[in-house]
Amino acid sequence: MSRSERLLALLQVLRRHSRPMSGQALAAALDISLRTLYRDIATLQSQGAMIEGAPGVGYVMQPGYMLPPLMFTPEEIEALALGLRWVADRGDVGLAGGARDAMAKIGAVLPAPLRRELEASAVLVGARPKPSPATVVAQDRLRAAIRAEHKLRIVYRDPQGTQSERVVWPFALVYFDEARVLSAWCELRGDFRNFRCDRIAQAEVLDARYPQRRQTLLKTWHQRVRDSGRTILPEFGTMPS
């Protein structure tokens, strides 16, 4: 591994951890000596990386630092291309536009050979039926409520066509090829529920924030799923019919 590759690898390890990592753990992850690690950390700090810590205490990198030009392996380039193309094709208006903008921004800072690899990547997204405009608008509104941690008033239609009005605390939007699913705490049922986006007839973002943090709801939901042993909807619960 070259020194530049080693520095990029160190940045990646630090980015993946929000808590301080010991020098020993970082050195072991990179298969280098502690002396080399300390030297590499000093180099990154001199280049503007916001790495905090000290020997014997541990190291953590504050968010917001990038080391241009970005460097990716061929597999990482293909993963980026496939993921962004999938979102551009299958996301709502906001997500699709964000994916295209992200592709352009990443391409702009890549070295020329990697930029050509990104633009000419052979991993493609297959064709699919386009969602209805009403569903697209609803998803955009749902994501806004999730980000703001605000309650939603929805009109939901069950498989038999019966409609009910709910106030829910949305915390996740799960993307399947065949459906989009809102995971939320339902005030009517007093429990977690999943709602297919194509059955949400109306969605209104309320001014009121829900009383728990989104991360707390998500953590509780994950634990509920693990305890129940359900796997139909990975990490979120059972898929609604």
Side-chain angles (χ1 to χ4, degrees):
M1 181 187 298
S2 68
R3 186 163 186 266
S4 61
E5 290 174 330
R6 194 175 69 239
L7 291 175
L8 285 169
L10 175 55
L11 284 174
Q12 288 297 99
V13 172
L14 288 168
R15 283 192 182 111
R16 289 197 298 264
H17 295 83
S18 58
R19 296 180 180 276
M21 287 188 70
S22 69
Q24 290 86 348
L26 285 169
L30 299 169
D31 194 24
I32 59 177
S33 68
L34 272 175
R35 184 173 182 177
T36 299
L37 173 74
Y38 295 149
R39 187 168 59 247
D40 287 350
I41 286 176
T43 297
L44 291 173
Q45 288 172 330
S46 70
Q47 294 177 355
M50 295 178 287
I51 301 173
E52 299 178 354
V57 176
Y59 295 92
V60 64
M61 186 170 69
Q62 299 303 314
Y65 176 74
M66 296 182 68
L67 184 64
L70 293 176
M71 301 296 292
F72 297 103
T73 66
E75 288 75 17
E76 289 169 343
I77 287 288
E78 290 188 340
L80 279 170
L82 179 60
L84 290 171
R85 287 169 178 170
W86 192 95
V87 175
D89 182 72
R90 285 160 166 71
D92 57 56
V93 173
L95 281 182
R100 287 189 288 268
D101 289 344
M103 179 79 87
K105 287 179 180 179
I106 292 170
V109 296
L110 284 174
L114 290 182
R115 181 166 60 251
R116 288 192 292 270
E117 287 287 338
L118 180 68
E119 294 170 349
S121 174
V123 290
L124 305 175
V125 178
R128 63 158 187 123
K130 295 294 183 183
S132 68
T135 300
V136 170
V137 172
Q139 289 175 36
D140 204 25
R141 194 171 300 129
L142 300 180
R143 291 192 298 105
I146 291 171
R147 286 196 303 269
E149 298 184 344
H150 276 215
K151 294 184 179 183
L152 271 172
R153 179 181 289 114
I154 64 173
V155 175
Y156 191 68
R157 184 174 57 251
D158 68 16
Q160 287 72 44
T162 303
Q163 291 190 346
S164 61
E165 184 174 301
R166 320 278 188 102
V167 173
V168 301
W169 309 350
F171 59 85
L173 192 59
V174 188
Y175 285 74
F176 294 88
D177 280 339
E178 71 278 10
R180 308 292 180 262
V181 178
L182 177 73
S183 291
W185 176 269
C186 177
E187 291 187 354
L188 178 66
R189 302 303 184 194
D191 202 354
F192 292 108
R193 287 292 186 271
N194 295 315
F195 303 95
R196 285 183 57 134
C197 293
D198 55 356
R199 292 180 185 156
I200 297 177
Q202 298 176 33
E204 176 190 359
V205 182
L206 303 180
D207 292 334
R209 293 174 62 94
Y210 45 76
Q212 297 187 42
R213 297 304 306 271
R214 175 164 50 93
Q215 292 89 341
T216 302
L217 288 172
L218 193 58
K219 182 178 179 181
T220 303
W221 184 238
H222 280 177
Q223 188 61 52
R224 180 82 65 87
V225 173
R226 285 192 292 267
D227 291 345
S228 70
R230 290 177 292 179
T231 59
I232 297 175
L233 180 53
E235 299 296 330
F236 293 97
T238 54
M239 175 73 180
S241 59

